């Protein structure tokens, strides 16, 4: 096997070098959703394909500010190393950075064995478990982000919107037409299938949607899309923020996840205006709804996420309800239709953003939905209204509650849900919670705007 990998590495190295590529960037996402990487010369690819490149094990406990949260099991000190191995079948030459190629990485132990803290492996296990049950999944992302002018003074913290609207208007994109064209061209060249690109609701905001694909590819492509967008912004003298909430006065950036489950070529979520038609689709919705407070601790885990989850902002601020095409619902069912076909049906999770590790988020989401199917859960009737406009007594009577609003409340929800916590395993869960606590401790004496500003460009 090693010699086969080495031979494949030689082939890829020769092909990349012939195209003028000098380096391969191997990327992964940490427990804050922040991409990390190593870049190696393409000439080293034969060796790297087999043995990877060394990285510190402590990346598992880097917090959002790059401080190290020592103390969780296996993370007590700086002694330790793991190997970051590129996924050769995902190597992509970067259209916006033509001297570089890109690949997602998988972290393994020094002897090549499984490493408990590798997030990509968590999603691999969930996908394999679904496949053993004859089930596959499709996942698509909607990625919102802010586009801003580069400040001439590095000390200037004022945000200058690169477009000022109107919302959803073609006029809004005229000032950043070159940037948008580069994103679309580069995305296609990088193998990303785009659904659409448009000016979003907030000033300076843009949304890009990625076509649905298998979960591992979707998570990989979400990271690749970030690199593609950032390179285009740099080329056009712009700056992009993927942060859940770049500023309190702006619109939040949700990275909504659309999912569907399939068996034997049948979409289990197929249905119409009343919701999924079959018991499996209903169970999937019910499973997500049941585990939503714990799930949100992984899909929207940062302090910026919590600040974004405001009623009236299409952010999914409440748990306990779902809706058919209801954009205030945390779970929005998108039905099939005569025009689009029944197979178009899917469920959109609103409580999701760039601070989530995409592999962990999708693993937990699919686990929750699959458990709902297995247990034949039944969801409540869909809600068409916005519970944010209801009085507290009305919400309480309907079982609608605010999602956990602090780091401590999120941790309680996650730890108290063995099904979702168990997706990570004890070691990775401890590391994940360590960085969440470190972030909360750092922010304890700071106001929200200061925290948001510090993390504006981190993702």
């Amino acid at each position: 096997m090693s010699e086969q990998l080495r031979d494949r590495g030689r082939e890829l190295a020769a092909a990349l070098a012939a195209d003028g590529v000098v380096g391969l960037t191997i990327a992964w996402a940490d427990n804050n959703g922040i991409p990390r990487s190593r870049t190696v010369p393409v000439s080293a690819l034969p060796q790297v394909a087999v043995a990877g490149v060394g990285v510190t094990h402590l990346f598992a406990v880097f917090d959002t500010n790059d401080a190290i949260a020592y103390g969780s099991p296996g993370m007590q000190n700086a002694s330790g190393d793991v190997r970051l191995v590129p996924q050769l079948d995902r190597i992509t030459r970067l259209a916006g950075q033509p001297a570089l190629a890109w690949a997602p990485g998988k972290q393994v132990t020094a002897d090549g064995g499984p490493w408990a803290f590798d997030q990509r492996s968590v999603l691999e296990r969930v996908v394999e478990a679904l496949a053993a049950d004859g089930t596959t999944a499709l996942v698509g992302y909607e990625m919102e982000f802010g586009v801003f002018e580069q400040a001439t003074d590095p000390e200037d913290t004022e945000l200058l919107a690169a477009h000022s609207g109107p919302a959803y208007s073609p006029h809004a994109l005229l000032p950043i037409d070159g940037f948008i064209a580069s994103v679309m061209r580069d995305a296609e060249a990088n193998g990303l299938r785009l659904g659409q690109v448009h000016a979003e609701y907030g000033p300076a905001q843009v949304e890009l949607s990625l076509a649905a694909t298998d979960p591992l590819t979707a998570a990989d492509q979400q990271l690749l899309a970030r690199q593609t967008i950032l390179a285009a912004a740099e080329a056009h003298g712009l700056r992009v923020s993927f942060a859940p909430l770049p500023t309190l006065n702006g619109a939040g950036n949700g990275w909504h996840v659309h999912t569907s489950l399939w068996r034997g070529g049948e979409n289990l979520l197929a249905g119409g205006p009343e919701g999924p038609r079959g018991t499996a689709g209903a169970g999937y919705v019910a499973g997500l709804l049941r585990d939503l407070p714990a799930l949100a601790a992984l899909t929207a885990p940062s302090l910026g996420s919590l600040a974004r989850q405001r009623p009236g902002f299409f952010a999914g601020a409440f748990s306990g309800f779902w809706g058919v095409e209801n954009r205030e619902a945390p779970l929005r069912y998108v039905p099939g239709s005569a025009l689009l076909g029944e197979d178009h049906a899917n469920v959109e999770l609103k409580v999701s953003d760039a601070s989530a590790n995409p592999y962990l988020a999708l693993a937990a989401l699919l686990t929750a939905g699959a458990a709902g199917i297995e247990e034949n859960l039944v969801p409540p009737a869909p809600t068409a209204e916005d519970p944010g406009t209801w009085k507290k007594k009305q919400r309480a009577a309907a079982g609608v509650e605010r999602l956990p609003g602090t780091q401590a409340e999120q941790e309680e929800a996650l730890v108290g849900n063995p099904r979702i916590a168990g997706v990570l395993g004890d070691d990775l869960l401890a590391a994940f919670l360590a960085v969440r606590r470190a972030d909360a401790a750092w922010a304890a004496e700071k106001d929200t705007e200061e925290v948001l500003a510090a993390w504006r460009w981190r993702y």
Side-chain angles (χ1 to χ4, degrees):
M1 182 64 174
S2 294
E3 199 53 44
Q4 291 176 336
L5 287 172
R6 200 181 310 276
D7 289 344
R8 180 60 178 149
R10 290 192 189 98
E11 293 172 5
L12 289 167
L16 291 170
D19 280 343
V21 175
V22 298
L24 172 68
T25 295
I26 311 167
W28 78 99
D30 72 5
N31 285 325
N32 314 287
I34 297 174
R36 309 287 183 177
S37 71
R38 287 287 192 270
T39 299
V40 298
V42 292
S43 59
L45 190 49
Q47 174 63 19
V48 171
V50 176
V53 59
V55 299
T56 174
H57 68 301
L58 291 173
F59 276 116
V61 286
F62 268 47
D63 68 14
T64 302
N65 299 303
D66 293 343
I68 300 171
Y70 290 105
S72 61
M75 301 291 159
Q76 287 87 353
N77 55 55
S79 298
D81 206 44
V82 294
R83 307 299 294 182
L84 177 67
V85 181
Q87 303 302 289
L88 300 184
D89 59 335
R90 299 289 165 90
I91 290 179
T92 302
R93 184 184 181 186
L94 295 171
Q97 300 169 265
L100 295 176
W102 178 97
K106 185 174 178 178
Q107 297 164 85
V108 299
T109 62
D111 61 4
W115 193 49
F117 300 89
D118 178 59
Q119 299 93 344
R120 197 174 193 275
S121 296
V122 173
L123 181 55
E124 286 179 346
R125 290 195 296 270
V126 170
V127 170
E128 288 168 0
L130 289 174
D133 193 37
T135 306
T136 59
L138 287 178
V139 177
Y141 274 96
E142 294 177 2
M143 302 168 62
E144 295 173 343
F145 51 93
V147 185
F148 304 96
E149 301 286 350
Q150 287 274 16
T152 54
D153 180 358
E155 302 299 320
D156 188 357
T157 59
E158 182 183 2
L159 287 178
L160 301 175
H163 83 73
S164 56
Y168 308 107
S169 171
H171 303 167
L173 296 185
L174 287 173
I176 54 172
D177 179 74
F179 164 68
I180 295 298
S182 290
V183 168
M184 298 186 75
R185 252 193 319 264
D186 293 351
E188 182 175 1
N190 290 348
L192 300 172
R193 292 189 301 126
L194 301 186
Q196 55 181 312
V197 180
H198 61 268
E200 248 293 338
Y201 185 74
Q205 196 175 39
V206 171
E207 179 178 291
L208 173 151
S209 63
L210 297 175
T213 184
D214 70 273
L216 276 165
T217 300
D220 290 343
Q221 290 189 344
Q222 191 237 67
L223 296 181
L224 178 56
R226 299 194 213 191
Q227 189 73 20
T228 302
I229 294 165
L230 290 172
E234 184 70 22
H236 289 274
L238 299 170
R239 204 168 190 191
V240 163
S241 176
F242 298 131
L245 192 62
T247 175
L248 274 175
N249 296 324
N253 294 320
W255 284 16
H256 307 153
V257 187
H258 291 256
T259 58
S260 57
L261 282 191
W262 298 69
R263 283 181 187 158
E266 176 188 359
N267 183 354
L268 300 183
L269 272 74
E274 302 303 318
R277 182 169 50 251
T279 57
Y284 185 77
V285 172
L288 294 177
L289 197 59
R290 175 180 63 178
D291 289 337
L292 188 60
L295 184 59
L298 294 174
T299 62
S302 68
L303 300 178
S305 305
L306 298 174
R308 170 184 167 262
Q309 287 167 25
R310 302 165 290 181
F313 282 80
F314 295 179
F318 295 94
S319 65
F321 82 106
W322 66 288
V324 178
E325 296 289 21
N326 183 348
R327 285 174 168 77
E328 275 295 331
L331 298 174
R332 169 187 167 231
Y333 177 72
V334 183
S337 68
L339 179 62
L340 297 173
E342 288 194 343
D343 286 348
H344 177 75
N346 63 84
V347 171
E348 177 190 36
L349 175 68
K350 289 282 189 179
V351 193
S352 170
D353 60 54
S355 67
N357 179 289
Y359 304 98
L360 298 184
L362 293 184
L365 188 158
L366 294 172
T367 296
I373 295 175
E374 183 178 354
E375 297 175 38
N376 295 312
L377 298 185
V378 179
T383 297
E385 300 175 47
D386 173 9
T389 65
W390 298 353
K391 296 186 181 299
K392 288 184 178 179
K393 287 185 178 181
Q394 187 178 0
R395 286 198 294 268
V400 174
E401 299 178 344
R402 285 296 299 267
L403 282 166
T406 67
Q407 181 275 324
E409 290 174 356
Q410 280 199 325
E411 178 172 334
E412 182 181 8
L414 179 56
V415 172
N417 187 317
R419 180 172 36 259
I420 301 304
V423 172
L424 278 65
D426 292 344
D427 290 339
L428 180 51
L429 176 63
F432 181 86
L433 293 177
V435 298
R436 301 277 70 76
R437 293 169 189 156
D439 279 357
W442 170 84
E445 302 301 322
K446 298 174 176 63
D447 62 41
T448 302
E449 192 64 76
E450 185 179 356
V451 174
L452 298 180
W455 295 350
R456 187 173 291 147
W457 316 111
R458 302 296 287 165
Y459 304 102

